[in-house]
Amino acid sequence: MSNYIETTKELAAYLSATTPLIVIHTEERGRAQGALTEAARELNIDIDFYTECDQFVELRKGERAQDVGGEPLSFIEETLKKKTHCVFALGDVRFLDADNSFSRRTANIVRLAAERKSTLVIVTADFVWQPLAKLGMHITLELPTQKEREKTIRFYINRNKVKNFGDELISKAATMLSGYTSMQLKTILNYSGKLEGGFSYDRLCEIAMRKDKIFGAVPSITRIRVGDVHVAGLEGVREWLRSKQKIFFAPREELDRKHISSPKGVLLAGVPGCGKSLSARLIAKEWQLPLYRFDIGALFDKYVGESERNMRLALEYVDSVSPCVLWIDEIEKELSSSGDNDTAKRMLGAFLYWLQEYRGRVFLIATANDISLMPPELFRKGRLSEIFFVDLPEESERKSAIELYLGLCLDGKFTESEVAELARISEGFSYADIEAAVKSVAEREYTQNVKEGFDALKSAFTSAVSILSAQSEKIAKARKWGEESAVPASGKRR
């Protein structure tokens, strides 16, 4: 059942019970007005709905009831002194979130409504002053649910006779368009249909990726432009992601019915330079999701309580731009609780609680180079869907990486035997080492306007210092942890 239907039923029940105050918390005044109209017709009662533009409108009949010159409280007060069993709704309200003359006067009107067996409905997205809020009941009208978004999309494609847009694409599109109001959703559908190429799923994905333009920004969350992504190896991670994609985009109702949890994210730990950070771009590209980098260190503030507030605002922002991929690079530095730093511990606790309980469409990619600095609480079941160990590439993986970078930087002008030799002599190299060696030759070709041969490329590989040579003890320690505590990112054990 949709939240809109539940809200309408709950609203009708409260109106039938002559509740003196009903507060509808919502960002969509139009949908709240629609729910009030349905309740009025179901109960066969008059509800006078106030907005600054239209003044009072009687919802059941759809007729303008009264022009009060922007003074709704005076009109309501005078009417209640003369009549009983009235229902008024305020669609435009201000100053009700604090103790002031307006909120106190509203509270007095609610008490008068209780005496006169009448109801005052307040539609607002803000908090309500607590002494006023305690006088009535509260309803939350949420943004359109998955089913409601599917219904809106289906209505659009049927009305516009859109072809090749079946139920599976409708479901995925509805997931991509979560977080939008009903009005925004309809605008996006109409707008996408007017663009060159017409209405399509890819077009909707492009628009959905612009949520950061709608919801503003917070300093700790940065939108990352994905662009072209070239990743070699990591077949184990790729296969796992392919198996989870359908579940991530599945309707929440279906997952709940089967008691299946949507994948929350992965931790990629291991050797630096082996593709951990590129994996965030890879999944964003393949799943057609926006990518955001979360800099937790930027949340800390010198004033008491501000760091925790910044964390809350950042997580609320992430929720508003979902579905998305959230990337935390070198998470061991971001989340390491600094000794007796109580603020850092509270920040860690807030983040871990969110990670444990959050049920939205955010896929976390966390990368780590030094696993010894990681807070052990992060590894608790339910917080991450999988933990992968990213090791140095084997010879076949190095060969694939060399072929990739030769094609990108040197037009792939080397023979298979030459590539095989480079793969052999690059033992102990990370993907970053291989990229750097190939690009050093490509840069020399470009700056000196010469064509380098295989000997120059081989020389670049043999003269490079591999990460295994530079950090052998550290890598051995990391490998030991990976064998005991993680799944190999390559898809196979060494």
Side-chain angles (χ1 to χ4, degrees), residues 128-146:
V128 175
W129 180 51
Q130 195 62 20
L132 171 59
K134 288 181 178 179
L135 297 176
M137 305 299 292
H138 295 250
I139 302 173
T140 299
L141 177 58
E142 299 170 355
L143 294 172
T145 62
Q146 174 82 9

Side-chain angles (χ1 to χ4, degrees), residues 114-126:
E115 295 174 7
R116 307 296 289 173
K117 294 181 173 53
S118 298
T119 299
L120 176 65
V121 181
I122 295 174
V123 180
T124 180
D126 301 322

Side-chain angles (χ1 to χ4, degrees), residues 1 18 20 27 37 57 60 91 103 116 124 212 223 232 259 271 283 289 291 310 312 353 357 360 402 406 409 438 456:
M1 184 182 295
T18 321
E27 298 177 3
T37 302
V57 173
R60 184 166 57 93
S103 57
R116 307 296 289 173
T124 180
D212 53 324
R223 172 75 184 274
H259 299 280
V271 184
I283 183 174
L289 292 173
L291 173 64
N310 292 339
R312 186 181 71 253
Y353 178 79
E357 301 298 330
I402 292 168
L406 288 179
C409 305
V438 174

Side-chain angles (χ1 to χ4, degrees), residues 242-373:
R242 283 192 289 268
S243 70
K244 299 297 182 181
Q245 182 174 359
K246 184 175 181 179
I247 299 176
F248 182 84
F249 287 99
R252 174 64 58 195
E253 295 84 353
E254 292 185 12
L255 296 181
D256 289 344
R257 189 168 60 250
K258 295 180 180 294
H259 299 280
I260 297 175
S261 299
S262 180
K264 293 187 174 184
V266 296
L267 171 66
L268 302 176
V271 184
C274 291
K276 297 188 298 295
S277 298
L278 278 176
S279 297
R281 288 182 167 86
L282 174 67
I283 183 174
K285 181 79 171 180
E286 292 191 353
W287 286 13
Q288 293 181 289
L289 292 173
L291 173 64
Y292 295 91
R293 184 177 181 272
F294 188 13
D295 180 8
I296 296 178
L299 299 175
F300 287 89
D301 194 284
K302 63 181 180 180
Y303 295 106
V304 176
E306 283 300 301
S307 299
E308 294 87 337
R309 177 178 177 273
N310 292 339
M311 173 66 83
R312 186 181 71 253
L313 292 176
L315 295 179
E316 288 175 355
Y317 177 78
V318 170
D319 182 50
S320 69
V321 297
S322 66
C324 65
V325 175
L326 185 65
W327 170 35
I328 303 179
D329 195 26
E330 297 189 29
I331 193 172
E332 74 274 24
K333 296 178 181 178
E334 299 277 18
L335 288 183
S336 58
S337 52
S338 307
D340 296 327
N341 189 329
D342 290 336
T343 298
K345 291 179 180 178
R346 288 195 298 271
M347 296 277 281
L348 172 61
F351 177 77
L352 293 179
Y353 178 79
W354 173 82
L355 194 58
Q356 178 79 31
E357 301 298 330
Y358 183 70
R359 299 181 75 243
R361 307 283 181 166
V362 176
F363 191 85
L364 176 68
I365 295 282
T367 65
N369 292 327
D370 190 348
I371 204 68
S372 65
L373 298 177

Side-chain angles (χ1 to χ4, degrees), residues 406-407 410-415 418 441 445 450-453:
L406 288 179
L410 295 172
D411 302 321
K413 58 185 180 182
F414 298 92
T415 66
E418 289 172 335
V441 176
E445 279 195 351
V450 297
K451 289 294 183 182
E452 297 282 10

Side-chain angles (χ1 to χ4, degrees), residues 73 76-77 80-81 100-116 120 129 131-132 135:
L73 294 188
I76 294 172
E77 195 170 23
L80 288 176
K81 289 178 181 178
N100 54 57
S101 59
F102 189 83
S103 57
R104 286 178 177 271
R105 187 181 180 191
T106 304
N108 288 332
I109 289 175
V110 172
R111 295 186 184 97
L112 178 60
E115 295 174 7
R116 307 296 289 173
L120 176 65
W129 180 51
L132 171 59
L135 297 176

